[in-house]
Amino acid sequence: MKNKLQKLRDDFLRQLSTVDTSERLRDLELKYLSRKGELSEIMHELKNLSGELKRDIGGLANAVKTELQDKFTEARRLLDKRSGGERMTDVSLPGEKIINGHLNPITLVQNELEDLFTSLGFMVLDGPELESDYYNFTALNLSPDHPARDMQDTFYIDYKNKSGQYDLLMRTQTSPVQIRAMRKYGAPLKAIIPGRCFRNESTDARHEHTFYQVEGILVDKNINFANLKSFLEIVGQKLFGPDTKLRMRPKFFPFVEPGNNGEYSCFLCGGKGCRVCKNTGWLEIVGAGLIHPDVLRAGGIDPEVYSGLAFGFGLNRLAMLKYSINDVRLFNSGDLKFLEQF
Ligand code: PHE
């Protein structure tokens, strides 16, 4: 027994003298000093000894235990000090630079619109990018043979539904979420829906197959054209400054009636005409209108009781105007030279 203790002590000390990492130190602790370690085992065996021998060896075992624990603590202290000391060796060296990411300019404009609309009590909603033909077109008054579908050709998914029809596509606009929101929340309703949209475009500096919109929808009793007008005015002033003027020109969208294009006085020339507004003094920014009764019905809302307004911004265009970006393809390019400027 005595020999065993002696050997354990020698083994431990020999190994301790070669330990150089805290992992190895921890291994040593587990092997010798832990509750299931070799020293505990010997302490356990002491129980079987009798009288004097027990006292004798017990004393020795306790002495060894204290010694090993002290040595262990000292070794740990030295290791900690060393690794701490290494980190501090030369405080005059330059620090490691932390490289921050950048927000895409589209995200910046989106955040600005979200701040404005949440301050006006709107919810911010989300919807699927892979959409059904029904939500993207039919429910929005674009029946399968409607000519206005031609303006929004998109990517169709090679998958047939139960009735053997191809009815999945990449959404061409955020407007399908109007229907989804009405069905889920009913009226009254105030929501904006930022999101990614897709169209089958030949890309150039002004056209991109993947782009972003923010949809807005407000449904309540007695919503009328005056509400829409004041609404679009607030948005324009927030985006382009307090002197911004609004002009509404008729435009056809099948899901609103009447529909219009909201145009803002050019933020650069104030309406005199310049390069940004192509000498017209006005910037076409937002499609809008009063929600068509059929669309309210498709959303499960009674058009005899409620009316609503809807509008849709192209975020790419807004960001291009705001930050003087001259090629829409830069947004999805992943080009750090571009992104790091924001
Ligand atoms: N969804 C239309 C588009 O993509 C914009 C729009 C939204 C127009 C809501 C009217 C009302 O062109």
Side-chain angles (χ1 to χ4, degrees):
M1 202 88 180
K2 264 189 184 158
N3 287 345
K4 228 171 162 183
L5 267 171
Q6 200 62 48
K7 184 172 177 324
L8 185 144
R9 174 182 174 276
D10 293 345
D11 285 349
F12 178 88
L13 290 180
R14 192 164 17 82
Q15 289 179 40
L16 189 69
S17 68
T18 67
V19 156
D20 52 5
T21 64
S22 47
E23 284 79 7
R24 284 193 54 200
L25 190 63
R26 171 107 187 101
D27 289 344
L28 214 61
E29 181 184 26
L30 279 177
K31 182 155 189 271
Y32 291 98
L33 300 178
S34 67
R35 214 151 46 82
K36 293 216 171 98
E38 286 181 17
L39 194 57
S40 295
E41 226 167 78
I42 293 183
M43 297 296 228
H44 226 71
E45 285 170 24
L46 284 177
K47 272 198 309 213
N48 305 330
L49 299 178
S50 56
E52 192 138 316
L53 201 56
K54 189 170 185 173
R55 217 173 310 126
D56 219 25
I57 301 191
L60 180 66
N62 274 328
V64 169
K65 187 175 176 187
T66 321
E67 188 195 0
L68 297 194
Q69 263 166 351
D70 287 347
K71 288 261 158 55
F72 172 82
T73 314
E74 170 69 1
R76 168 133 75 201
R77 197 181 61 78
L78 283 175
L79 259 182
D80 284 354
K81 195 172 143 201
R82 213 176 69 196
S83 62
E86 266 167 11
R87 254 182 266 134
M88 294 293 286
T89 41
D90 187 353
V91 290
S92 68
L93 283 174
E96 250 175 67
K97 194 173 173 192
I98 298 169
I99 299 167
N100 281 326
H102 296 248
L103 291 179
N104 191 291
I106 299 216
T107 311
L108 295 173
V109 180
Q110 177 180 329
N111 287 349
E112 206 175 312
L113 281 171
E114 283 185 14
D115 283 350
L116 170 65
F117 282 103
T118 48
S119 79
L120 296 171
F122 281 60
M123 297 189 281
V124 180
L125 299 181
D126 212 353
E129 294 174 357
L130 176 61
E131 192 44 287
S132 72
D133 183 283
Y134 173 78
Y135 278 106
N136 194 77
F137 289 129
T138 312
L140 293 169
N141 255 350
L142 285 120
S143 53
D145 53 356
H146 200 295
R149 282 194 178 206
D150 283 355
M151 299 188 328
Q152 302 194 0
D153 187 20
T154 182
F155 304 100
Y156 288 83
I157 306 304
D158 190 9
Y159 174 82
K160 283 186 186 157
N161 66 11
K162 286 198 194 87
S163 15
Q165 281 157 333
Y166 294 104
D167 70 345
L168 286 180
L169 48 84
M170 301 309 290
R171 68 174 175 195
T172 60
Q173 49 188 349
T174 41
S175 306
V177 194
Q178 285 188 29
I179 309 282
R180 291 182 177 278
M182 286 190 276
R183 289 192 179 182
K184 182 158 181 195
Y185 297 102
L189 173 67
K190 291 206 276 187
I192 58 163
I193 306 114
R196 185 155 53 169
C197 304
F198 309 83
R199 290 189 196 175
N200 182 9
E201 301 274 6
S202 323
T203 53
D204 60 28
R206 285 154 54 88
H207 298 90
E208 175 62 296
H209 50 69
T210 302
F211 57 98
Y212 290 79
Q213 292 189 338
V214 170
E215 191 86 5
I217 174 171
L218 187 155
V219 182
D220 209 332
K221 289 184 174 143
N222 303 318
I223 298 300
N224 59 36
F225 209 76
N227 298 131
L228 178 61
K229 181 169 181 241
S230 75
F231 227 92
L232 294 183
E233 255 162 15
I234 294 173
V235 175
Q237 283 160 10
K238 164 79 180 175
L239 285 175
F240 300 115
D243 298 329
T244 306
K245 288 189 198 50
L246 169 74
R247 158 168 109 168
M248 296 168 93
R249 297 215 288 175
K251 169 133 191 211
F252 176 69
F253 300 100
F255 34 92
V256 286
E257 177 61 40
N260 69 91
N261 232 339
E263 300 178 3
Y264 294 119
S265 53
C266 178
F267 63 89
L268 193 66
C269 63
K272 287 195 222 44
C274 70
R275 185 180 46 83
V276 168
C277 57
K278 297 206 201 70
N279 286 318
T280 62
W282 296 92
L283 299 167
E284 270 185 44
I285 296 292
V286 52
L290 295 180
I291 303 176
H292 195 289
D294 285 346
V295 173
L296 286 171
R297 248 179 241 118
I301 289 173
D302 184 354
E304 301 298 330
V305 184
Y306 288 102
S307 50
L309 57 88
F311 49 87
F313 296 90
L315 283 187
N316 299 61
R317 176 157 161 71
L318 275 183
M320 286 173 84
L321 286 169
K322 202 171 160 105
Y323 298 109
S324 301
I325 296 165
N326 60 10
D327 192 326
V328 68
R329 291 168 294 191
L330 286 166
F331 291 116
N332 296 332
S333 66
D335 182 350
L336 289 181
K337 284 205 202 85
F338 169 68
L339 293 172
E340 282 172 352
Q341 296 175 50
F342 301 95

